[in-house]
Amino acid sequence: MKRTEFTKAGLVLIFLAVFSTSGFAGNDNTSPGTSLPATQTQGEVAFLSGGIGGDESEAIKKEAISWPLMLELAQAATPRAEYIGDVPVTISDESGKIVLDTIAEGPFLLVKLPPGKYSLDATYQSIKLYRQLNIQKGQHEKLTLIWPAVR
């Protein structure tokens, strides 16, 4: 009897191990060997942010071409700019309606916006940068925002 109980318990553990490593509840935009962060949505806008670590950075850069907008966030430094994260980003449409209000978790933010004109605000260390965007169907735009160096 004890042997049967052990066997049942062992089978349950094997079953759980197989399903927990199979990607059953995983990220739907990753395939084996990639390190893309999860895609999120706000209303009709899809986005993902990250880029901390080499694998994730490279995965985002490869994926970026299929997204209408890629933001690259950095701060001026010597000898060259350094990537930053935890940057609040707001994108508004032409009528002023906010279509995305998020915090870029790493130096890259990919955004799927419908074609149109938008305004973008991003804040880092109390300094706000503004940009106007014109997203065109079938095109990819990369926008690099560089904040001034720390004094």
Side-chain angles (χ1 to χ4, degrees):
M1 190 76 158
K2 286 190 183 264
R3 185 175 181 161
T4 305
E5 289 174 13
F6 176 76
T7 304
K8 287 179 183 175
L11 287 173
V12 168
L13 288 174
I14 291 170
F15 178 80
L16 291 174
V18 167
F19 279 99
S20 69
T21 60
S22 69
F24 193 80
N27 183 352
D28 63 354
N29 65 347
T30 61
S31 59
T34 64
S35 298
L36 274 177
T39 298
Q40 303 174 57
T41 58
Q42 279 186 22
E44 296 181 19
V45 176
F47 66 99
L48 67 82
S49 70
I52 299 172
D55 289 346
E56 190 173 277
S57 258
E58 288 307 311
I60 290 173
K61 288 177 186 177
K62 287 178 184 174
E63 177 73 10
I65 195 69
S66 65
W67 292 69
L69 177 64
M70 174 186 185
L71 293 180
E72 182 179 43
L73 310 170
Q75 183 173 42
T78 302
R80 65 177 181 216
E82 297 176 354
Y83 283 143
I84 57 175
D86 296 322
V87 177
V89 175
T90 304
I91 299 175
S92 301
D93 65 16
E94 202 168 18
S95 70
K97 177 185 172 198
I98 294 174
V99 296
L100 180 64
D101 187 7
T102 190
I103 296 177
E105 296 171 6
F108 301 107
L109 177 65
L110 303 182
V111 186
K112 286 191 180 174
L113 294 165
K117 294 184 179 186
Y118 299 90
S119 60
L120 177 140
D121 301 332
T123 305
Y124 185 69
Q125 295 182 338
S126 302
I127 298 172
K128 189 177 278 194
L129 299 181
Y130 303 94
R131 296 293 185 274
Q132 295 297 314
L133 305 170
N134 186 11
I135 303 298
Q136 297 179 20
K137 185 175 181 168
Q139 302 227 343
H140 167 74
E141 181 175 342
K142 178 182 175 184
L143 177 62
T144 301
L145 299 175
I146 301 176
W147 278 263
V150 176
R151 293 181 187 219

